[in-house]
Amino acid sequence: MKKGVKIGILIGSIGVLGTIGYLAYNRIKKSKEIKKKNESNNTPNSTSSSETNTTKPKSKLVLSIYRNTPFKNKTEGNAFRNWVNDTYPKFAKEIDLDRTGEYNNDWIRTAYAKYGDAYLSNQLYGI
């Protein structure tokens, strides 16, 4: 094989591999942006005029396997939040779960994913 052909094949293969790497990088980057956008759209950020708009950093433990919690209102959500804070204070502190807040956000979904069954057993059977 001639030297020029070998160089051409080498440059062509570098170009192909570089293009594939670039496209893969962009696809991963785009999927992460879409995921962040979807998470921000699923969590309501509206607050009343008397509340200040403070945001907490997201926990590293977010187990958002549940898209929604089974709670129908803030009262039910706060009851679960209080139960988690009383029963598992270390975990509640670790994920920064307040005693009051939204009934369907990442923090309460994370807690519900881990302790939802125990909470339901406690509510139904007092266990």
Side-chain angles (χ1 to χ4, degrees), residues 20-37:
I20 292 171
Y22 174 76
L23 293 173
Y25 169 77
N26 278 342
R27 179 164 292 207
I28 292 168
K29 184 178 172 184
K30 193 175 201 177
S31 68
K32 286 182 181 179
E33 290 172 357
I34 290 170
K35 185 176 179 182
K36 284 182 182 179
K37 185 177 179 182

Side-chain angles (χ1 to χ4, degrees), residues 1-13:
M1 200 181 298
K2 293 186 178 181
K3 189 176 182 178
V5 173
K6 289 180 181 179
I7 293 173
I9 292 172
L10 177 66
I11 291 173
S13 63

Side-chain angles (χ1 to χ4, degrees), residues 29 31 61 66 70 77 84 88 113 117-118 127:
K29 184 178 172 184
S31 68
L61 295 172
Y66 293 102
V84 171
Y88 303 101
D117 291 339
I127 299 172

Side-chain angles (χ1 to χ4, degrees), residues 23-111:
L23 293 173
Y25 169 77
N26 278 342
R27 179 164 292 207
I28 292 168
K29 184 178 172 184
K30 193 175 201 177
S31 68
K32 286 182 181 179
E33 290 172 357
I34 290 170
K35 185 176 179 182
K36 284 182 182 179
K37 185 177 179 182
N38 287 340
E39 287 177 0
S40 67
N41 287 342
N42 286 341
T43 305
N45 288 333
S46 61
T47 57
S48 67
S49 59
S50 63
E51 295 176 345
T52 58
N53 190 8
T54 58
T55 57
K56 297 187 234 177
K58 293 208 176 194
S59 168
K60 293 179 184 175
L61 295 172
V62 173
L63 305 169
S64 54
I65 58 171
Y66 293 102
R67 289 210 170 266
N68 294 309
T69 59
F71 310 119
K72 294 179 179 70
N73 56 46
K74 198 169 182 175
T75 305
E76 291 178 2
N78 287 342
F80 175 72
R81 287 170 171 271
N82 284 320
W83 180 83
V84 171
N85 274 279
D86 293 339
T87 311
Y88 303 101
K90 185 177 177 183
F91 178 75
K93 186 174 183 178
E94 189 176 340
I95 67 166
D96 199 19
L97 182 70
D98 293 334
R99 289 187 172 272
T100 60
E102 294 295 324
Y103 63 93
N104 190 22
N105 62 18
D106 282 342
W107 293 280
I108 197 166
R109 282 195 298 265
T110 300

